[in-house]
Amino acid sequence: MTKDRKFPEQWPNAQPSESGQPDSSAKMPASSLSGFRGSAAGAGSRQGSYLHLPPSNSDVSSGREATDRTGSRNPKRFGQSTRAEQESRQRYRDRGSSDHPLHGWLKWLTNWQLWALITFLLTGGLGGTALLMLLRLPETPTCGESAWTSGSEHLYCAQQAASEKTVDGLLRAIAEVNQLPSDHPLRPEINRQIEKWAGQLLDLAEKIFNEGKLTEAITSARQIPSNTTAAGLVQERITRWQSIWNEAEKLYKNAESELEKENWNQALGYMRQLLSVENTYWETVRYDGLNQLIRVTQQEGQTLEKARSLAEQGELKNITEAIALVDKIEPQSKLYKKSRSLATDFAKQILALARKNGEDQKWEDAIYMARQVPGNSSVKKEAEDFIELTRARSIATRVTVRSLEDAIAKAQVIGPDRPLHLEAKRLISQWQDSIKDVAYLEQARNMAMSGNVNNLRSAIAQAQLVSRTNLVWDRAQEEINEWQSRIEETEDRPYLRQAEQLASYRDRASLQAAIDTARNVGSGRALYSEAQDKIQGWNQEIQRLEDQPILDRAWNLAQWGNLNGAIATAQGIRPGRLLYTDAQAAIQTWQQEGRDRQLLDSAYQLGDISQSPERLMQAMDLANQVSSKSNLRFSADAAIQDWSQRILALAQQRSLENLPQAIELARMIPFYSNLYNQAMREVEAWETILNPPPVRVRETSPAAIDRSPTPTPFPQETPTESVNPPVSPSEPPPTPTDFPATAAPTMPIDPIEGVGRDSQNPPPIERIE
């Protein structure tokens, strides 16, 4: 500090307290102290009084800094001011040590800034507290934790519960406000809120119904207070919901029923009706589910249809494949019952095939088929019983006492609880009754083993003891017939051997003796058929010995040309004889040959005596009637060719004079003649001469002439191009002497060269523009 300041220099030095902290005067804020000092300085300067305040640390430090700054410029002055200041401070401490508390209180009480700050803090605090009191909300009650009596608190908690928008929340809200008495001041507002919440509850129940929760919706709607307007709509709403639900369930069940019957169109019709039941759940969720169910069931129906088609073919392989297809249907399917029914039908079909093989005594095949019945089939037990009975029956077919006893033992395995118990019982009874008769049959077999006639007769007598109603009756009859045949064969075989020995000489008397011997084998005997075959053969040999010379004589007569004698001789062979068929065939051949000879003779007469084309044609027609199998056909064809050559030569000669007549003659040659094709070629050539084709001449247009780069030598003439050279109309026609007189030309004549024979006019010329 400088000495010109108005403050006294006796400032007490700020000493730290014993605890190391500055004293109470030093704890004042710097801003407050500076204010106080400023005010004191101002007061001192105005009135000349002094206010002794202790210097603050900041003043001391600032004074030191100032001293340091001044001292830096004037070291000597620095030392002097420092000592003066120290002396002043020492005097202040000495003087003010006794009245220091008084000076402190005076300083604080006389500071107007302190009082202004205190006033501001008090007024601001009171204003802020009032504002907070105004803005502060009342304390929110904790709903459900304590009981209160305030109606507003009940209404508040009810509104909080209703804001959940749930059935439970709305019911809790109504129950909450209904705790207040009917004369409560808030009852009008409460009743209005209850009406509102009841309507919301009914709407929420409608929403729950559309979500597919009918029972929950009805339960929610029935909890609506009865004193509300919405309560009057509850029963009507529930009735409508139940009606809609029942109708939807009925449609759904009807669709499922039609699916089980594989009526796809009817099921689709019921499904479409779900779209108009006025329920979102049925129109969306259940509709989509039913649609998916119909598609899946249709695919399963196709599988069943394929299985039916396979089973209808009737073979074991196809039926097993059909069963494999129906086994793919899941238990939850609408067609599961039908698939199980089809599987049972297919299994029964397999078992029927096995039974048929069993009836045909194809035991191995029957057992194999029965084993193909699926294990999950309802006829599996029946198939197992059938297998056991089939094995027993196969054993019983040996028709021995031991085999029947074994068959009975196997059949007795099938107990009373088995499907084929009755059938097994019936077979056991038959086999037990057959044991006695089988014993008779076994004895008969033992007798017949030697093959002696007497033993065979005894065996037959023993086997005839078998009862007609017994199971082995058929087998006994078969063996009796076999033994009887052996007896008859033993008795009749010597007759046939003797007959064959007689027939070996091959003369008529030996053959007749063989026939008489073989006739000793009577009708119905074992060797009767064999004897009759031999007798027939020997009879035919006798007939051949008797009739062959007759047929040979007839052929000899025919070869010498005596056809009538040959026919008369062959007719001596009687019908029913061995060579009768051969004789009749020869007679027909000779008769046809006679007719052919007559025809050919008549043709020769016509063709040889006349050169007329008409007569020649008649002769050729007669000759053509000769049979193609006749020996005279070659002669007939040669005559036809000769007569055709005559007509063709006549036509060629006539062509030199008159082409139309030549054509007419050539056309008379018949199609069966070898010269027919040559005659047709001649006719074609002559017709070309008579009717030549038009000559085409190409005419050049004037425009083409103008475009030509070179001038035409004769522009006044139209250039033409002719296919053939032009024929002068003044050219005389050729005379007949111009053609060779021996024969007509075989090649076509140039039509231009032939012009003028019958006409002096040239052929027309066709121009092509």
Side-chain angles (χ1 to χ4, degrees), residues 361 393 395-405 427 429-442 444-445 462-480 483:
Q361 295 188 359
R393 290 173 61 191
I395 295 174
T397 54
R398 301 172 191 169
V399 195
T400 64
V401 175
R402 179 63 181 272
S403 64
L404 289 176
E405 291 176 350
L427 290 175
S429 176
Q430 289 180 354
W431 293 333
Q432 287 175 345
D433 294 340
S434 300
I435 290 178
K436 180 179 179 180
D437 291 333
V438 168
Y440 293 144
L441 187 58
E442 286 185 353
R445 287 171 179 167
Q462 184 72 19
Q464 287 176 346
L465 296 176
V466 176
S467 175
R468 186 179 293 271
T469 60
N470 198 284
L471 181 64
V472 296
W473 163 259
D474 295 334
R475 176 60 63 87
Q477 293 303 309
E478 291 177 0
E479 298 199 16
I480 288 173
W483 297 333

Side-chain angles (χ1 to χ4, degrees), residues 599 603 616-626 640 643 670 672:
L599 289 172
L616 292 175
M617 284 187 61
Q618 293 178 4
M620 285 187 289
D621 289 341
L622 289 174
N624 189 51
Q625 295 180 21
V626 175
I640 291 172
W643 297 330
Y672 49 81

Side-chain angles (χ1 to χ4, degrees), residues 228-429:
T228 60
T229 305
L233 303 175
V234 169
Q235 188 57 41
E236 178 184 355
R237 191 71 61 89
I238 291 175
T239 302
R240 183 175 68 85
W241 293 343
Q242 291 175 340
S243 176
I244 291 173
W245 198 270
N246 293 334
E247 180 184 359
E249 284 185 337
K250 182 179 179 181
L251 291 174
Y252 199 93
K253 291 179 179 178
N254 290 339
E256 290 180 331
S257 177
E258 296 298 335
L259 287 179
E260 293 175 356
K261 301 175 184 177
E262 299 185 59
N263 297 330
W264 317 123
N265 293 332
Q266 289 82 345
L268 288 171
Y270 287 122
M271 183 191 71
R272 296 188 188 99
Q273 295 181 35
L274 286 178
L275 295 174
S276 57
V277 296
E278 298 181 0
N279 182 271
T280 307
Y281 171 73
W282 284 99
E283 292 174 354
T284 56
V285 178
R286 299 304 295 274
Y287 174 86
D288 295 338
L290 182 58
N291 189 17
Q292 180 66 21
L293 179 62
I294 291 175
R295 287 199 298 269
V296 172
T297 309
Q298 282 180 329
Q299 295 175 358
E300 295 170 344
Q302 294 176 358
T303 301
L304 295 185
E305 187 61 31
K306 184 178 179 181
R308 293 190 190 98
S309 300
L310 286 172
E312 287 176 357
Q313 300 178 14
E315 297 181 1
L316 178 63
K317 178 182 178 182
N318 297 328
I319 298 174
T320 53
E321 290 181 3
I323 292 176
L325 285 176
V326 299
D327 285 343
K328 294 180 179 179
I329 306 302
E330 299 295 336
Q332 64 271 18
S333 172
K334 295 300 177 183
L335 297 179
Y336 182 72
K337 292 183 179 179
K338 181 168 288 188
S339 69
R340 291 300 88 206
S341 176
L342 285 176
T344 302
D345 294 341
F346 298 157
K348 290 180 179 179
Q349 191 172 353
I350 292 176
L351 195 56
L353 291 176
R355 288 185 178 277
K356 185 176 183 302
N357 282 270
E359 292 173 359
D360 297 339
Q361 295 188 359
K362 299 178 181 178
W363 314 118
E364 297 289 339
D365 295 340
I367 293 174
Y368 173 76
M369 290 182 178
R371 285 175 176 171
Q372 305 308 310
V373 175
N376 59 352
S377 175
S378 60
V379 297
K380 181 61 177 177
K381 292 184 178 180
E382 183 178 352
E384 293 173 351
D385 292 350
F386 172 79
I387 292 173
E388 294 298 327
L389 288 181
T390 301
R391 289 173 177 169
R393 290 173 61 191
S394 66
I395 295 174
T397 54
R398 301 172 191 169
V399 195
T400 64
V401 175
R402 179 63 181 272
S403 64
L404 289 176
E405 291 176 350
D406 292 342
I408 291 172
K410 276 193 169 296
Q412 287 175 343
V413 176
I414 301 175
D417 58 336
R418 302 295 295 184
L420 297 184
H421 173 69
L422 295 179
E423 184 176 353
K425 187 176 180 181
R426 179 180 60 83
L427 290 175
I428 290 173
S429 176

Side-chain angles (χ1 to χ4, degrees), residues 125-189:
L126 292 175
T129 302
L131 182 62
L132 289 176
M133 293 293 291
L134 291 175
L135 295 179
R136 182 181 180 182
L137 294 175
E139 182 180 358
T140 302
T142 303
C143 299
E145 292 185 358
S146 61
W148 50 81
T149 58
S150 173
S152 60
E153 291 178 350
H154 281 283
L155 183 59
Y156 170 79
C157 289
Q159 289 174 342
Q160 290 295 318
S163 64
E164 297 176 5
K165 303 297 183 183
T166 61
V167 174
D168 183 64
L170 292 171
L171 292 175
R172 284 191 287 106
I174 294 173
E176 185 69 36
V177 295
N178 276 335
Q179 297 179 14
L180 299 176
S182 59
D183 57 350
H184 195 277
L186 293 178
R187 176 52 63 179
E189 176 63 20

Side-chain angles (χ1 to χ4, degrees), residues 14 30 49 126 137 178 218 233 292 313 331 357 415 440-441 527 534 587 686 696 728 735-736 750 759:
S49 63
L126 292 175
L137 294 175
N178 276 335
I218 293 175
L233 303 175
Q292 180 66 21
Q313 300 178 14
N357 282 270
Y440 293 144
L441 187 58
L527 298 179
K534 292 182 179 295
I587 290 172
W686 294 334
R696 298 192 176 190
S728 174
T735 60
D750 192 333
S759 176

